[in-house]
Amino acid sequence: MVIDDRNLIEKFKKGNKESFSLLYDKYVDKIFKFIYFKTSHRETAEDLCSQTFIKALEKLDNFSFNNNAYFSAWLYTIARNTVIDYYRRSNKSKNDLNIDDVWDISDNTDILEDLEFKQKTEIIAKYIKKLNSEQREIIMLKIFEDLSYREISEILDKNEGACKMSFCRAIKTLRKEMPLLSFISLFLIKL
Amino acid sequence: MKNSKIDNLINDIMSLDPELKKYENEIKKIANHLIKAKPNLKIDSNFKLELKNTIMKKISNIKNNEKEKNAFNWGIFSKKLAFSLGAIALVIAIIIPLKNNLNKDNDNRNIASKNEQFIRVEDEAFGKIAFNESAQNTNNGEINSSDLAERTTVLGMGAGGDVSVSSDTRILPYPYEPVNYEFEYIGEDFELNGEKVDVYKKIKKSVEVKNIKDAIFNNNLSLFKLNNFKDKSDISNISIKQDKKYGYIININPQEGDISLYANWETWPQPFKDCQDDACYQRNSLSINDVPEDNKIIEVADKFISDNNINLDNYGEPVIVNNFREMYETSEDKSNVYIPDQISVVYPLILNDVEVIDNGGQKTGLFISVDIREMKVYSINNLSINNFEVSAYKAINDKNTILNYLKQGGLYPNYTNPDASKTITVKIGSPEKTLVRLYKYDNSKGRSDEYYAPALSFPIVETSSENNYYRDYIVIPLAEDMIEKQLDIMPMPILEMAR
């Protein structure tokens, strides 16, 4: 049985506020990981993850399934904006911060005990940084988060076709930039 | 991501750019490698529980606020006026001579009562106490299977860190090498005594704040005749903020008789305040060498307790919650282990000479966190009046039943992952008799009730070195009703039950 977001949200709106706890259970790991990829700092990711869910709880009454909107996309959008706000606050001097470049801002300097995470993100970062910020984010949402193009389009506020095209271009770039053998050998060494 | 999904992904790409067809195999490999490169990142289970508790408290507050709104029939006033009233009441609560009133109370009675009070009530007086049932089910004990989602929402609520099974399932390693767990009891023989066990329910006892209430309602407000609303009104929360160096924020809930205290961070040194880059964070972060000896930290907590007349009659010897030390000891790259600025000391609650644990088997009671940079108390939680109703419930007295529950994972059953590549055996040692604190959400009251039930706490004594099991203990309540109902339920139906 798959937990039905719509059913839970309708219950929430009718007064069964505890329904939110099931949504929390369903999404907390994903949202935490999504934020961690963007901050590479466990404590910060936990703080921003908390903010994300508190905001979602406070605003859930306003969420609407109009146009078959996805709750997951709405939640990722809150998380993404929370990360962007965090970087804006903590980099006051960087007023010209490109909000899509949060991936670049973090340099994985406070990865905790997770050596594997560090190794893997270093490899990924090396190649993914050859992509533009939108392509990077789409790769992350599509490959790591396993979201549909529809969900990605809602998160990034782009149309679905543009997201598909962007993903396609990203893969083409990766194919050109990474000689496959060296790509494979890198992973064989690390994994 | 399964192969079919990769195929879909590749098909999407090919449909957009047919030229890529000739590179299909190459692109598939790239997609596969990207998927494999997804780091096996684990969320900290304690953080997850704490956040869930925070959310459940917030939900409870939201519901209470809605009830208050209804009770006052705010519909006849403008929203703006309602907010003004709230703000004015808060200001008055702070500016009136609150200190004197509180001291007056303290002269007669410490906030934490000197002795526990136990009121014996009839058997099974609390109704069905499977803590994941909603209040509507308490009269007949029947579970409406058509409403699984609604029932499971009440799992793990309350302020104590209850774990929901659905949370647990997500701690399984993901997405690589998913494993299943089986439990093997290797402890000594143990005894079960008696047909019945006593279950304790905490009584929410109000703290008398009549003087404060009078002062608020009798104040002449030019904006609003507040006194018109005095009838049947209670003060539900008092917040006091100290605006001085090392000040605190004190929250008093007079209706439930509990107090929490936190550092007013604006008045405390902020070591990372001016940090613009990570190097600054690193430079200012604490190292393991900065962590004082446990007894020094406990001394700070003890002194605060003594200075502020906190009564510890119902609490045991303090212990440090030092999870970070375990992380440090087991970490290969110790330079990257986060050393917290605040370290918690727990004074375990003791009821009728039995120490209380939480549902994860850890000691629980009065929590005091100490800021180790400043060597000052940073926060206090769970300071409350300990009065209880006691009711007898049918006990589990068959050892095999206990061992069967143990094999399932106890209070929070494990579930098998159908994609698991291996099964890890977790070895369980001899149990200790204890009291476990559990919460049950009461929908009709919009709050959680707190129960303490006799339980066996089984320590995890051995597991695979490659796959550390995430729990230290498996707890099994001895009140039959509590665990039977729990295991009937499949809270996270994505995965199957283990065995």
Side-chain angles (χ1 to χ4, degrees):
Chain A
M1 178 183 138
V2 176
I3 292 177
D4 180 3
D5 293 353
R6 182 183 286 266
N7 185 27
L8 293 175
I9 291 166
E10 281 170 0
K11 282 181 176 168
F12 179 92
K13 290 186 174 186
K14 285 176 184 169
N16 182 359
K17 302 296 181 195
E18 291 76 25
S19 303
F20 188 82
S21 72
L22 268 193
L23 293 168
Y24 170 81
D25 287 341
K26 184 175 174 182
Y27 288 107
V28 63
D29 286 35
K30 289 180 177 181
I31 293 296
F32 173 79
K33 287 173 187 171
F34 174 74
I35 294 172
Y36 196 15
F37 283 129
K38 287 174 170 290
T39 60
S40 302
H41 187 279
R42 187 170 285 272
E43 201 182 22
T44 303
E46 288 178 353
D47 185 34
L48 299 182
C49 183
S50 302
Q51 289 181 34
T52 299
F53 278 97
I54 297 294
K55 284 179 194 172
L57 172 63
E58 289 172 346
K59 296 177 188 297
L60 190 54
D61 274 323
N62 301 330
F63 174 75
S64 162
F65 282 102
N66 282 349
N67 302 319
N68 291 319
Y70 283 96
F71 170 74
S72 56
W74 183 74
L75 194 58
Y76 275 102
T77 304
I78 293 175
R80 185 169 179 268
N81 289 339
T82 304
V83 173
I84 291 166
D85 285 346
Y86 163 74
Y87 280 115
R88 277 184 174 146
R89 279 200 312 273
S90 58
N91 292 273
K92 286 174 184 169
S93 59
K94 296 182 181 176
N95 289 328
D96 56 348
L97 175 69
N98 180 347
I99 60 170
D100 290 329
D101 281 345
V102 288
W103 180 290
D104 286 338
I105 291 166
S106 165
D107 288 324
N108 298 343
T109 45
D110 191 25
I111 306 297
L112 300 182
E113 71 281 11
D114 201 339
L115 190 61
E116 184 209 6
F117 180 91
K118 194 171 184 176
Q119 287 177 335
K120 286 182 173 177
T121 48
E122 276 171 4
I123 301 165
I124 295 164
K126 182 175 176 182
Y127 291 98
I128 283 187
K129 279 185 176 178
K130 293 179 188 298
L131 306 174
N132 68 39
S133 58
E134 182 184 286
Q135 289 173 335
R136 283 197 297 272
E137 193 135 33
I138 290 176
I139 287 279
M140 188 171 138
L141 293 168
K142 187 71 192 164
I143 302 278
F144 288 179
E145 307 298 329
D146 199 16
L147 298 182
S148 68
Y149 286 113
R150 171 73 192 281
E151 287 170 295
I152 294 170
S153 70
E154 286 185 27
I155 295 167
L156 301 182
D157 199 20
K158 310 265 179 196
N159 75 51
E160 203 174 327
C163 289
K164 275 187 186 176
M165 187 54 77
S166 193
F167 182 78
C168 179
R169 288 194 186 119
I171 293 291
K172 278 168 80 175
T173 306
L174 286 176
R175 196 194 67 79
K176 281 181 190 164
E177 293 288 339
M178 292 186 280
L180 185 60
L181 286 176
S182 64
F183 187 82
I184 293 170
S185 64
L186 265 171
F187 280 105
L188 288 176
I189 292 166
K190 299 289 184 183
L191 294 176
Chain B
M1 194 179 281
K2 291 179 181 173
N3 284 336
S4 60
K5 287 192 178 177
I6 293 180
D7 288 340
N8 288 339
L9 196 143
I10 299 293
N11 288 338
D12 276 344
I13 294 171
M14 302 302 165
S15 66
L16 287 166
D17 189 347
E19 265 196 24
L20 287 173
K21 186 75 183 167
K22 57 187 170 190
Y23 303 115
E24 183 175 347
N25 286 337
E26 203 177 325
I27 290 170
K28 264 187 185 173
K29 283 176 183 170
I30 288 176
N32 260 318
H33 284 304
L34 280 173
I35 291 163
K36 282 184 183 170
K38 180 178 177 179
N40 181 16
L41 178 62
K42 290 180 191 170
I43 188 168
D44 180 86
S45 55
N46 288 331
F47 158 72
K48 204 153 88 169
L49 291 177
E50 283 170 15
L51 178 54
K52 186 163 184 174
N53 278 331
T54 304
I55 285 170
M56 297 320 299
K57 278 184 185 173
K58 191 148 185 75
I59 286 172
S60 182
N61 287 341
I62 289 171
K63 294 186 86 162
N64 285 340
N65 289 343
E66 284 177 355
K67 281 181 182 172
E68 281 172 16
K69 279 181 191 172
N70 292 336
F72 277 86
N73 191 15
W74 288 119
I76 60 173
F77 301 109
S78 73
K79 212 172 189 178
K80 194 174 175 182
L81 191 57
F83 283 129
S84 302
L85 175 62
I88 291 163
L90 185 64
V91 170
I92 293 169
I94 293 169
I95 61 174
I96 58 172
L98 178 63
K99 187 168 176 282
N100 289 340
N101 286 313
L102 289 177
N103 283 344
K104 194 174 174 183
D105 280 346
N106 277 346
D107 290 340
N108 300 327
R109 176 189 61 205
N110 285 320
I111 296 297
S113 61
K114 276 199 183 300
N115 295 298
E116 301 145 337
Q117 283 185 13
F118 299 100
I119 301 167
R120 171 67 65 178
V121 293
E122 64 184 17
D123 289 2
E124 304 194 6
F126 311 139
K128 295 290 181 186
I129 50 172
F131 71 98
N132 51 356
E133 284 186 282
S134 64
Q136 288 90 329
N137 291 329
T138 54
N139 291 333
N140 55 23
E142 294 297 320
I143 297 174
N144 176 1
S145 60
S146 67
D147 203 4
L148 176 67
E150 188 161 17
R151 281 186 292 104
T152 51
T153 59
V154 295
L155 272 166
M157 292 178 189
D162 289 36
V163 186
S164 77
V165 182
S166 49
S167 297
D168 283 356
T169 59
R170 287 158 194 274
I171 302 170
L172 289 171
Y174 172 86
Y176 295 102
E177 289 191 351
V179 297
N180 289 327
Y181 294 97
E182 63 179 12
F183 303 94
E184 181 187 349
Y185 182 66
I186 59 167
E188 296 172 359
D189 198 14
F190 58 91
E191 292 295 325
L192 295 169
N193 300 318
E195 294 294 315
K196 296 207 168 182
V197 287
D198 279 341
V199 174
Y200 303 79
K201 181 182 180 184
K202 192 163 185 176
I203 303 169
K204 310 280 186 188
K205 184 169 181 178
S206 301
V207 174
E208 181 56 64
V209 287
K210 185 173 181 303
N211 292 343
I212 299 173
K213 185 180 165 184
D214 288 345
I216 291 172
F217 282 103
N218 293 333
N219 201 296
N220 237 347
L221 292 173
S222 56
L223 291 174
F224 191 74
K225 199 169 181 182
L226 191 59
N227 206 33
N228 283 356
F229 297 88
K230 189 174 180 181
D231 184 36
K232 294 185 179 175
S233 291
D234 277 322
I235 295 173
S236 60
N237 190 49
I238 298 170
S239 186
I240 302 164
K241 187 173 174 181
Q242 268 189 312
D243 189 17
K244 66 171 212 176
K245 193 171 185 189
Y246 299 114
Y248 290 101
I249 294 173
I250 303 164
N251 290 314
I252 304 169
N253 184 334
Q255 290 177 331
E256 300 199 355
D258 66 42
I259 291 180
S260 60
L261 173 147
Y262 301 90
N264 177 6
W265 62 272
E266 291 171 337
T267 64
W268 283 55
Q270 296 170 49
F272 304 111
K273 187 180 175 187
D274 299 320
C275 280
Q276 293 290 321
D277 56 29
D278 194 70
C280 173
Y281 278 94
Q282 295 292 334
R283 206 166 44 245
N284 288 296
S285 292
L286 296 177
S287 76
I288 195 74
N289 297 326
D290 296 319
V291 180
E293 295 291 322
D294 285 0
N295 63 331
K296 298 289 180 197
I297 297 170
I298 289 172
E299 270 178 25
V300 173
D302 278 345
K303 183 171 186 309
F304 190 93
I305 283 167
S306 168
D307 289 348
N308 294 285
N309 279 353
I310 297 171
N311 189 286
L312 288 180
D313 284 355
N314 306 324
Y315 297 92
E317 288 299 310
V319 288
I320 298 281
V321 182
N322 51 10
N323 298 339
F324 71 95
R325 278 195 197 278
E326 288 168 25
M327 194 182 286
Y328 184 83
E329 297 300 332
T330 55
S331 174
E332 287 180 19
D333 184 1
K334 298 189 188 309
S335 64
N336 276 328
V337 175
Y338 171 67
I339 307 296
D341 284 16
Q342 290 90 33
I343 291 177
S344 289
V345 181
V346 58
Y347 294 77
L349 179 62
I350 295 174
L351 298 182
N352 278 344
D353 299 325
V354 182
E355 202 167 84
V356 171
I357 58 169
D358 63 23
N359 46 29
Q362 307 293 341
K363 292 172 192 284
T364 189
L366 178 66
F367 280 87
I368 298 187
S369 79
V370 174
D371 187 299
I372 57 172
R373 287 181 193 269
E374 308 298 328
M375 288 307 273
K376 289 181 183 298
V377 165
Y378 193 83
S379 70
I380 296 187
N381 280 297
N382 285 353
L383 181 56
S384 61
I385 298 170
N386 289 318
N387 289 339
F388 302 89
E389 286 180 335
V390 189
S391 178
Y393 275 78
K394 188 177 178 191
I396 301 171
N397 49 22
D398 173 18
K399 200 162 43 184
N400 287 330
T401 305
I402 294 286
L403 291 174
N404 188 36
Y405 287 143
L406 191 63
K407 282 183 180 175
Q408 295 179 46
L411 202 50
Y412 305 105
N414 265 32
Y415 295 91
T416 51
N417 184 333
D419 299 324
S421 55
K422 58 182 173 182
T423 299
I424 304 293
T425 301
V426 177
K427 295 188 176 175
I428 313 287
S430 303
E432 278 189 24
K433 286 185 179 174
T434 183
L435 279 174
V436 61
R437 183 191 62 189
L438 298 167
Y439 290 91
K440 178 183 169 186
Y441 190 74
D442 186 333
N443 276 334
S444 65
K445 294 175 187 164
R447 71 180 192 200
S448 291
D449 286 325
E450 197 172 327
Y451 293 90
Y452 295 79
L456 292 178
S457 177
F458 294 83
I460 307 292
V461 292
E462 191 183 323
T463 184
S464 153
S465 57
E466 291 173 9
N467 295 80
N468 284 327
Y469 189 55
Y470 58 90
R471 288 194 264 181
D472 294 325
Y473 298 90
I474 290 182
V475 178
I476 300 182
L478 293 173
E480 190 178 84
D481 183 58
M482 267 185 171
I483 188 145
E484 271 191 348
K485 292 294 180 192
Q486 174 70 19
L487 294 182
D488 280 347
I489 290 172
M490 184 81 82
M492 195 64 203
I494 293 169
L495 304 171
E496 296 175 275
M497 187 173 279
R499 50 189 64 234

